[in-house]
């Protein structure tokens, strides 16, 4: 498993497992978006799942024209990435999503409104939350 850091032309930085790369596309599995911020004059790495609303295998094909650079990460960043992915998988089960609790496959209108309200509330914080 090769874990790489990927800088995109839109400014996003991803860490992901690279499944395949050719001259036209880069295929990545379980990408997380990372941002460096200063908190109390200390650099902090903020990570979020890149495309959180997918249900199947979390694989994406990125056009090479959207990639500025790609580089393998060191062992510390591999450990960090794996812990992030483990946390995401632990908090997401078939009946429980990391976005909201699911009781059934179909959500009621009230449950949808509550989920949207919760997402809106999350977007108002400056902590480790990010909506794409």
């Amino acid at each position: 498993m090769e874990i790489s850091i990927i800088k995109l032309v839109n400014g996003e930085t991803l860490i992901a497992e690279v499944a395949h790369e050719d001259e036209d596309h880069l295929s990545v599995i379980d990408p997380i978006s990372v941002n460096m911020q200063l908190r109390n004059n200390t650099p902090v790495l903020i990570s979020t799942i890149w495309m959180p609303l997918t249900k199947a295998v979390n694989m994406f094909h990125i056009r090479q024209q959207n990639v500025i650079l790609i580089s393998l990460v060191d062992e510390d960043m591999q450990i960090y990435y794996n812990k992030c992915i483990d946390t995401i998988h632990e908090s997401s089960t078939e009946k429980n999503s990391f976005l909201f609790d699911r009781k059934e496959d179909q959500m009621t209108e009230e449950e949808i409104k509550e989920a949207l309200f919760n997402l809106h509330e999350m977007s108002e914080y400056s902590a480790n939350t990010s909506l794409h």
Side-chain angles (χ1 to χ4, degrees):
M1 168 170 69
E2 288 188 351
I3 306 298
S4 296
I5 191 163
I6 304 153
K7 186 69 172 179
L8 302 178
V9 295
N10 68 357
E12 290 181 299
T13 303
L14 307 177
I15 299 178
E17 178 182 350
V18 176
H20 176 76
E21 182 178 10
D22 61 34
E23 66 182 48
D24 296 321
H25 290 90
L26 176 70
S27 299
V28 296
I29 300 172
D30 289 333
I32 59 173
S33 176
V34 293
N35 292 298
M36 185 73 71
Q37 294 182 1
L38 283 177
R39 295 220 175 131
N40 299 324
N41 293 325
T42 303
V44 177
L45 193 60
I46 308 296
S47 300
T48 56
I49 189 147
W50 189 47
M51 293 285 180
L53 303 177
T54 60
K55 288 302 258 178
V57 174
N58 206 11
M59 176 182 260
F60 299 93
H61 307 286
I62 303 169
R63 289 188 205 130
Q64 286 286 10
Q65 67 190 27
N66 294 319
V67 176
I68 294 175
L69 66 84
I70 181 169
S71 178
L72 293 174
V73 297
D74 63 15
E75 187 176 341
D76 288 339
M77 284 304 292
Q78 286 182 19
I79 292 168
Y80 175 81
Y81 170 81
N82 288 324
K83 285 184 180 182
C84 288
I85 294 300
D86 288 345
T87 300
I88 291 164
H89 289 288
E90 287 170 6
S91 64
S92 296
T93 64
E94 287 183 22
K95 295 189 178 200
N96 184 29
S97 167
F98 64 92
L99 294 175
F100 47 82
D101 293 335
R102 284 195 184 177
K103 298 176 181 89
E104 301 174 352
D105 287 337
Q106 297 294 324
M107 293 178 63
T108 65
E109 185 176 341
E110 188 60 35
E111 289 173 324
I112 292 170
K113 287 180 183 177
E114 182 180 347
L116 290 172
F117 176 79
N118 289 338
L119 287 172
H120 176 71
E121 289 292 309
M122 286 174 34
S123 70
E124 294 180 5
Y125 295 101
S126 64
N128 294 347
T129 57
S130 178
L131 299 174
H132 295 274

